[in-house]
Amino acid sequence: MKLNEQRLELLRTYGQEHLIKFWDELNEKQQCNLQRQIEEIDFTLLQRLIDQRDRKVKSGTGVDRAKLAQSPTQLVRLPQNDAERVERENAKRAGLELLKTGKVGAILVAGGQGSRLGFDHPKGMYPIGPVSQRTLFQILSEQLLARSQQARVAIPYFVMTSEETHLPTTIFFREHDYFGLGEENVYFFQQASLPAIDGSSSAILLSEKGRISTSPDGHGGTLQALQKHGMFEVMKERGVEHLFYHQVDNPTAIVCDPVLLGLHEKYESDFTTKVVAKARPEEKMGVLVSIDCNTEVIEYSELSSEDAYRKDAAGNDVFWAGNTATHVFRRSFVERLLTEDFSLPFHIAHKKIAHVDSEGTLIEPESPNGNKFEQFIFDALPHTKVALVVEGDRDREFNPVKNAEGSDSPETSRAAMQRIASEWIQFAGGNVEDGVKVEISPLYALDDIDLKSRQIEGQSFSEDSILNM
Ligand code: UTP
C-alpha cells in the first residue's frame, strides 16, 4: 500500500519525511497503523509548539513569575480556633447537601504514563492495599461508592484514559464489575496524544520503524477531551453542575470531599483547589500563589532555591501552599472557557525518549534527548472569576504513589494508609497492636466518625485484618 498523497505532501512541508523511511519494510497492518498515526497529527499545532520551544531556548524562560508572586489570597486555611472549626463543619454539611442534590460528578484522571513508578500496566491497577492488595482503582472507586451511599445518589464517575491506558483500564473496570458503581455510572473518555520531538531538531521520533512515539497531552487535556467525547451533554442530562477532580495516584484523597464542595459552593467559586503545607521549602511540589490578584500555580522547577525560602512581610513562607491536584470545577466555567475557543498553554518537558535512529537501530538514551508537550489543568485558574484555595491535612489526605521507591512511593503510601487506619481505630476506642496492619475499606467507614458508629470500641487488633463490608 502507498501513503495517501496529501499526507506525503504534509510530511514534506513540515520536514517529517523520515517517518516513512522504513515504509517498505512494514507489513500492511503496520503501514495502516502508521498512516493512521500520521493522519492524527495536527502539524500546525506541532509546528507552533516547536517554534515556542525554540524561542524559549533563545530568550530564556521569560517572565519570572516567582518574583511577582505572593501567598494565595483567596484562602481557607485549616481551622485554628472554634469559629473556624464551625465554618468547616458547616461546609461539610453544605457539601453533603450539595451531593444529595445529584449536582456533583467526579473526574478521575488516569491517562498518565506513570514512568517514574515503572509499573507495566495503568497506574490505577497498582496493588496498594497494605493487607488486601486492592488496587488504586478499587480503593478510589469504593470511596466514590461509599460517598454515593452516604448521599443516597449515584455520583457519575468520568474516568480519563489515554491511548496507552484506555483498553486495559476499561477491561479492568468491566472485569471488576465497575467496583459496584454500576456500568451506567462510569464514563470513560480518552485524552489526545501528541508526538514526541527530538530535543535538538524538529524531527518527530519513531518508537519503532512503523510507530510514532507519542505521549498523552497532559492532565490539562481533560478539558478538550471532555468536550470531544460529549461528556458535557452527559453531565447536563444528569444534572451535574460541579466536578470533583482527582488523580489516580493518591489513595488517601478524600473523594468528593464534602468540605471542599461546601466551601466551593459558599464562595461561589469557579475552581476550588486543595493545598497542603509543603514539608520543606525546597520540596519538589508545585505551589499555589497569587499573582496580580489571580490564583496561579508555580511549578517547583520555576523556583530558585533563594525564591523557595522567601518570606512575606509577616515572616511567613510565601511558597508554602503545595498543590495536591484535587480540585472542584464549576461545569459552566469549563464550558465557558471552551466556547471561547480556548486552549491551555503547552509546557515542554525534556525527557529520555527511546527511539529508532535513521539506521533503524533502537536507542535507549541515558540523558534527556527529546521533548514532550503537555497541558496542565491548573492553567485554567487565572481564567476564573472566583477561585478558592482550601488547605487540607497533609498526613491524612496526600500520600501519592509517584516513584518506585523513596519518597512518594508505594511504601510511603501504604505506611500512611496503615497509620490513618490505626488513628481512626484509636479514635473509635479500639487499639492496633504494634507491627499489625489493619486496612479499612471505604465501604466500611469513610472517616473516623463513620468508624466510631461501627462499634469497635474496646477491640484490639493483634493480627493483620481488613475491615470490610
Ligand atoms: P503525573 O504528573 O504524576 O504523571 O500525573 P504520570 O504520568 O502519572 O507519572 P510520570 O510523571 O510519568 O511518572 C498526575 C495525574 O495526572 C494523570 C495521571 O494519570 C495522574 O493521575 N495524567 C497525567 C493524565 O491523566 N494524563 C496525562 O497526560 C498526564
Side-chain angles (χ1 to χ4, degrees):
M1 102 181 227
K2 272 193 158 338
L3 183 70
N4 157 324
E5 193 50 46
Q6 255 181 336
R7 286 284 133 183
L8 201 53
E9 194 48 44
L10 261 181
L11 292 185
R12 284 194 202 107
T13 312
Y14 287 96
Q16 304 286 3
E17 285 160 281
H18 63 282
L19 293 179
I20 51 165
K21 178 158 187 208
F22 306 106
W23 187 261
D24 293 337
E25 295 177 38
L26 306 178
N27 63 34
E28 199 163 326
K29 185 154 185 256
Q30 290 167 323
Q31 289 177 338
C32 279
N33 286 341
L34 182 58
Q35 166 151 315
R36 183 187 50 77
Q37 276 198 299
I38 293 173
E39 278 166 3
E40 281 169 4
I41 297 175
D42 181 342
F43 283 97
T44 324
L45 170 66
L46 201 62
Q47 193 54 50
R48 187 158 56 76
L49 297 177
I50 294 167
D51 292 345
Q52 181 190 323
R53 175 199 67 180
D54 294 345
R55 272 199 309 276
K56 251 196 182 147
V57 170
K58 265 198 203 138
S59 66
T61 46
V63 187
D64 188 348
R65 294 192 308 136
K67 296 274 177 284
L68 307 172
Q70 50 176 308
S71 316
T73 43
Q74 293 276 45
L75 171 70
V76 180
R77 289 212 74 157
L78 278 173
Q80 303 295 333
N81 53 42
D82 284 347
E84 289 171 0
R85 272 185 280 278
V86 169
E87 189 193 10
R88 283 253 158 174
E89 274 311 308
N90 290 342
K92 191 172 174 184
R93 262 193 297 278
L96 251 178
E97 287 308 312
L98 184 63
L99 281 160
K100 284 182 186 166
T101 61
K103 290 183 184 169
V104 179
I107 297 177
L108 173 67
V109 286
Q113 295 180 303
S115 45
R116 284 170 287 173
L117 181 62
F119 178 56
D120 241 4
H121 306 279
K123 204 190 260 189
M125 288 165 63
Y126 192 87
I128 195 71
V131 184
S132 68
Q133 302 292 312
R134 277 174 314 161
T135 59
L136 284 159
F137 277 143
Q138 180 167 358
I139 288 175
L140 296 170
S141 299
E142 285 185 356
Q143 264 216 65
L144 186 68
L145 180 58
R147 188 71 69 202
S148 298
Q149 289 168 351
Q150 184 186 36
R152 298 206 172 88
V153 67
I155 304 172
Y157 212 9
F158 300 93
V159 180
M160 185 166 83
T161 59
S162 57
E163 199 178 347
E164 224 174 301
T165 67
H166 188 79
L167 203 58
T169 300
T170 51
I171 292 174
F172 195 71
F173 269 78
R174 197 171 53 233
E175 280 174 357
H176 290 84
D177 203 15
Y178 301 87
F179 303 106
L181 290 166
E183 183 177 358
E184 67 286 6
N185 296 316
V186 185
Y187 301 87
F188 298 98
F189 64 105
Q190 187 177 324
Q191 68 180 118
S193 292
L194 284 169
I197 305 289
D198 177 66
S200 50
S201 71
S202 308
I204 294 174
L205 294 172
L206 284 172
S207 57
E208 297 165 25
K209 287 181 176 176
R211 193 169 174 78
I212 293 172
S213 169
T214 60
S215 59
D217 61 354
H219 41 66
T222 307
L223 303 187
Q224 247 96 16
L226 283 170
Q227 187 178 46
K228 178 173 173 202
H229 297 285
M231 292 298 125
F232 293 116
E233 282 71 42
V234 173
M235 290 170 194
K236 267 179 233 163
E237 247 169 57
R238 297 191 62 138
V240 169
E241 292 177 16
H242 304 279
L243 294 156
F244 176 89
Y245 166 108
H246 67 128
Q247 301 197 148
V248 77
D249 53 24
N250 182 12
T252 65
I254 302 176
V255 177
C256 287
D257 178 8
V259 172
L260 198 66
L261 286 163
L263 291 170
H264 171 79
E265 195 185 34
K266 175 176 172 186
Y267 287 83
E268 299 183 358
S269 168
D270 290 327
F271 189 138
T272 302
T273 184
K274 175 87 62 86
V275 296
V276 292
K278 273 205 307 194
R280 45 185 195 287
E282 72 277 24
E283 183 180 11
K284 290 186 170 174
M285 197 174 185
V287 282
L288 270 291
V289 295
S290 233
I291 300 178
D292 286 341
C293 300
N294 280 331
T295 302
E296 301 192 15
V297 168
I298 291 201
E299 289 177 82
Y300 66 82
S301 53
E302 289 180 73
L303 280 187
S304 65
S305 35
E306 191 188 323
D307 281 330
Y309 282 89
R310 206 170 90 216
K311 307 250 184 223
D312 62 18
N316 300 315
D317 285 329
V318 171
F319 301 106
W320 66 269
N323 176 21
T324 67
T326 309
H327 315 297
V328 180
F329 319 121
R330 187 176 291 278
R331 191 196 78 216
S332 58
F333 158 68
V334 179
E335 283 188 296
R336 171 171 64 77
L337 273 188
L338 292 166
T339 50
E340 285 168 3
D341 201 17
F342 169 86
S343 165
L344 293 170
F346 278 89
H347 297 251
I348 304 164
H350 206 47
K351 302 244 173 167
K352 285 190 256 180
I353 304 172
H355 61 283
V356 292
D357 67 7
S358 55
E359 305 304 317
T361 312
L362 181 68
I363 309 288
E364 306 255 14
E366 298 200 335
S367 55
N369 63 306
N371 298 123
K372 291 181 176 180
F373 302 98
E374 288 188 318
Q375 293 175 311
F376 297 155
I377 194 77
F378 51 70
D379 281 326
L381 270 167
H383 300 274
T384 53
K385 290 198 178 91
V386 184
L388 178 67
V389 178
V390 176
E391 186 183 11
D393 175 347
R394 180 166 184 152
D395 292 340
R396 161 67 186 91
E397 304 180 40
F398 188 65
N399 299 286
V401 178
K402 297 280 186 194
N403 306 307
E405 39 193 48
S407 62
D408 295 341
S409 64
E411 195 188 338
T412 58
S413 191
R414 281 194 193 108
M417 290 167 76
Q418 282 168 49
R419 174 184 40 75
I420 294 165
S422 297
E423 285 167 6
W424 289 7
I425 289 169
Q426 222 161 25
F427 176 82
N431 173 54
V432 180
E433 289 180 15
D434 279 353
V436 172
K437 296 184 226 165
V438 181
E439 187 177 325
I440 304 172
S441 160
L443 295 170
Y444 190 81
L446 265 172
D447 54 30
D448 49 0
I449 297 170
D450 218 7
L451 188 66
K452 211 167 187 171
S453 66
R454 294 268 173 206
Q455 322 273 316
I456 61 157
E457 192 164 355
Q459 267 191 58
S460 186
F461 293 86
S462 55
E463 54 189 52
D464 292 356
S465 333
I466 308 171
L467 296 179
N468 224 337
M469 284 307 279

